[in-house]
């Protein structure tokens, strides 16, 4: 990493008092396809200095082995108390990316607090509990594929948006049913989580307004479950008590609900979309799985490695100056986990890491679900949803094709999420 020099006080691009990394990569808030930038930065080393929107100095970890070490390093924390710039006025209070630091939940907790919060939701996402959801996921998938076919039949060109009709409503319905969210709130919750968590070209005013509405709406959901508890995760969280008898705090409850909602549908939405794009543009790989020479689980893992649903995820903070990957990340620096970069790291995945290959040995060793104590609790659910959807989709429509060239698909306005905003397809029947 390059050395850091103080920025002039009041610099338009950098918060007053912050240190600007010399030669750091300036992150484009509009995001887009991450792979070219990843390759350029990774060629310079497994850790890179970056400047986030708002002029905030940060770092990103890009190499597979280095990221794996970082994600489980004992001197790396998730609690924003370990980032002085977030607490001393250096970074403005309305910085949009503060939402990743300020939320209270297991994703911003360390040690015993993290274990306590994770234990409250962990039992709902064990492999056994998730497998019990299979019939409901299959039922939902069948209905959504009917919707996709119906929408295509009604279109003069036989085109329908797969994200709108399948990739979004499936995981959104499943996680909202698990959380006990009434159907009337689901569409708005998706819009708000996209603005707050995924989109990175938003203004502070847009993010703050969306955060307020999201917290209020989740509070409405929680209030409904307090009044009429059900067999759902929100009701269980409300009823949960620690060994000492204390209830989950309101902030922790809302933060946990928000995390479950976002992680439970935004990432799976992107995973399904990216897998469909990959198979439509690599027909030889689709043929392998349709002929039984590879599995749908292999498709999911290779998609997670090759074009994961999350690109650069914020934040972790070194609790001391941290030697990592031949660099030193200063104590308190906001650091992003470069999942899409690690997925195509040729030093780990081989010289053909940029090739989509569902027969690749070791593809499942990707880091797209994280590593260590914060490994994604919802990984079994995401895998089940994706494998069911892909198998049902391509079994029913084996000649399904993209309706526009892949290069023309609109990318998400994000350097955090990694996918497209629309996926028009022709669900061709044989």
């Amino acid at each position: 990493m390059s050395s850091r020099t103080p920025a002039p006080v009041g610099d338009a691009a950098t918060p007053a008092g912050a240190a600007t990394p010399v030669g750091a990569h300036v992150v484009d808030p509009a995001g887009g396809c991450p792979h070219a930038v990843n390759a350029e930065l990774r060629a310079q080393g497994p850790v890179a200095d970056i400047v986030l929107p708002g002029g905030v100095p940060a770092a990103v970890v890009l190499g597979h082995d280095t990221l794996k070490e970082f994600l489980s390093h004992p001197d790396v924390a998730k609690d924003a108390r370990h980032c002085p710039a977030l607490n001393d006025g250096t970074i403005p209070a309305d910085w949009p990316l503060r939402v990743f630091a300020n939320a209270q939940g297991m994703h911003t907790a360390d040690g015993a607090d993290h274990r306590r919060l994770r234990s409250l939701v962990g039992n709902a996402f064990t492999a056994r509990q998730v497998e019990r959801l299979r019939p409901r996921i299959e039922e939902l998938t069948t209905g959504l594929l009917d919707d996709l076919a119906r929408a295509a039949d009604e279109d003069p060109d036989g085109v329908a948006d797969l994200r709108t009709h399948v990739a979004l409503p499936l995981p959104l319905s499943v996680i909202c049913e698990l959380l006990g969210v009434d159907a009337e709130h689901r569409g708005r919750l998706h819009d708000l989580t996209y603005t707050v968590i995924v989109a990175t070209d938003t203004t502070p005013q847009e993010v703050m307004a969306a955060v307020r509405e999201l917290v209020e709406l989740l509070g409405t959901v929680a209030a409904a479950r307090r009044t009429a508890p059900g067999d759902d995760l929100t009701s269980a969280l409300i009823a949960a008590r620690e060994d000492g008898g204390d209830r989950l705090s309101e902030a922790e409850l809302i933060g946990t609900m928000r995390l479950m909602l976002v992680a439970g549908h935004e990432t799976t939405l992107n995973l399904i979309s990216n897998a469909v794009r990959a198979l439509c543009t690599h027909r030889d790989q689709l043929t392998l799985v349709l002929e039984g020479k590879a599995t749908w689980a292999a498709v999911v893992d290779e998609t997670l490695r090759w074009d994961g649903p999350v690109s650069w995820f914020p934040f972790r903070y070194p609790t001391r100056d941290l030697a990592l990957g031949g660099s030193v990340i200063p104590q308190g620096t906001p650091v992003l986990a470069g999942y899409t970069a690690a997925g195509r790291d040729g030093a780990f995945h081989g010289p053909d890491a940029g090739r989509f290959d569902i027969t690749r040995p070791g593809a499942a060793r990707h880091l797209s679900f994280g590593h260590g104590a914060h490994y994604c609790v919802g990984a079994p659910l995401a895998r089940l949803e994706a494998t069911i959807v892909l198998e049902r989709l391509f079994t029913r429509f084996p000649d399904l094709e993209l309706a526009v060239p892949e290069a023309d698909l609109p990318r998400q306005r994000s350097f955090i999420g990694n996918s497209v905003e629309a996926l028009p397809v022709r669900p061709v029947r044989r």
Side-chain angles (χ1 to χ4, degrees):
M1 296 175 68
S2 54
S3 60
R4 297 170 185 264
T5 57
V9 175
D11 185 284
T14 306
T20 305
V22 176
H25 169 75
V26 178
V27 176
D28 183 355
C33 183
H35 298 301
V37 169
N38 283 341
E40 180 181 346
L41 293 178
R42 200 173 51 238
Q44 301 171 31
V47 181
D49 282 318
I50 59 174
V51 179
L52 293 168
V56 174
V60 60
V61 184
L62 306 152
H64 175 99
D65 288 339
T66 307
L67 180 57
K68 186 175 181 179
E69 177 185 356
F70 176 74
L71 292 175
S72 59
H73 201 288
D75 296 318
V76 173
K78 294 278 280 182
D79 193 319
R81 289 179 296 181
H82 295 282
C83 180
L86 285 167
N87 301 292
D88 63 9
T90 300
I91 296 175
D94 64 352
W95 186 49
L97 292 177
R98 268 187 179 273
V99 296
F100 290 93
N102 291 352
Q104 293 188 38
M106 63 183 179
H107 57 308
T108 56
D110 300 303
D113 269 349
H114 171 254
R115 291 189 292 273
R116 172 178 63 89
L117 294 168
R118 187 179 176 100
S119 70
L120 294 173
V121 301
N123 288 339
F125 295 97
T126 64
R128 177 178 294 182
Q129 289 297 100
V130 166
E131 184 61 28
R132 293 175 59 186
L133 298 173
R134 179 182 292 274
R136 178 56 176 154
I137 295 171
E138 291 175 340
E139 177 187 16
L140 287 168
T141 299
T142 297
L144 293 172
L145 294 182
D146 289 343
D147 292 343
L148 181 73
R150 191 177 303 112
D153 287 342
E154 294 172 354
D155 183 81
D157 298 317
V159 175
D161 183 9
L162 188 128
R163 280 177 74 89
T164 298
H165 292 286
V166 180
L168 169 59
L170 176 71
L172 182 60
S173 296
V174 172
I175 196 62
C176 283
E177 288 180 7
L178 281 174
L179 286 169
V181 177
D182 295 335
E184 63 189 277
H185 300 310
R186 296 175 187 178
R188 186 57 183 160
L189 283 172
H190 167 67
D191 293 341
L192 291 170
T193 57
Y194 184 88
T195 300
V196 172
I197 303 297
V198 181
T200 51
D201 66 343
T202 46
T203 66
Q205 294 76 20
E206 289 171 330
V207 173
M208 292 303 105
V211 167
R212 286 192 295 270
E213 186 179 349
L214 179 58
V215 169
E216 181 179 341
L217 188 48
L218 290 175
T220 299
V221 173
R225 298 285 70 80
R226 283 193 181 94
T227 301
D231 184 19
D232 58 77
L233 184 55
T234 300
S235 297
L237 289 172
I238 292 170
R241 293 178 181 272
E242 300 180 59
D243 292 339
D246 295 329
R247 289 186 181 274
L248 199 68
S249 74
E250 187 69 13
E252 289 174 336
L253 172 64
I254 298 302
T256 300
M257 291 174 65
R258 186 171 86 177
L259 173 63
M260 293 296 99
L261 178 66
V262 173
H265 91 276
E266 291 284 2
T267 52
T268 308
L269 161 62
N270 285 358
L271 170 58
I272 294 169
S273 301
N274 292 358
V276 171
R277 285 191 299 119
L279 291 172
C280 285
T281 54
H282 298 80
R283 307 301 297 196
D284 60 323
Q285 301 297 298
L286 177 58
T287 298
L288 286 175
V289 71
L290 289 175
E291 291 181 349
K293 297 175 181 177
T295 66
W296 293 106
V299 172
V300 170
D301 271 320
E302 179 66 348
T303 302
L304 287 164
R305 180 201 70 82
W306 183 73
D307 202 20
V310 177
S311 188
W312 293 5
F313 194 77
F315 289 116
R316 284 172 167 82
Y317 319 95
T319 58
R320 60 172 176 80
D321 289 355
L322 185 66
L324 190 74
S327 303
V328 175
I329 306 177
Q331 179 179 349
T333 300
V335 184
L336 292 84
Y339 293 118
T340 51
R344 296 197 184 188
D345 182 2
F348 182 82
H349 290 290
D352 67 342
R355 183 167 63 90
F356 182 72
D357 177 8
I358 63 176
T359 67
R360 178 185 305 278
R365 293 186 293 165
H366 60 77
L367 298 172
S368 288
F369 287 128
H371 178 69
H374 287 272
Y375 182 83
C376 178
V377 70
L381 178 58
R383 289 183 185 280
L384 182 64
E385 290 173 334
T387 52
I388 289 174
V389 168
L390 293 172
E391 180 176 12
R392 295 293 181 94
L393 175 68
F394 284 104
T395 298
R396 183 166 173 177
F397 307 111
D399 296 321
L400 181 137
E401 61 186 14
L402 300 182
V404 299
E406 185 183 19
D408 294 341
L409 293 171
R411 299 290 310 194
Q412 284 186 328
R413 308 183 315 278
S414 180
F415 58 83
I416 296 172
N418 173 47
S419 193
V420 293
E421 290 193 330
L423 190 56
V425 298
R426 289 188 179 88
V428 182
R429 295 184 178 89
R430 284 186 178 173

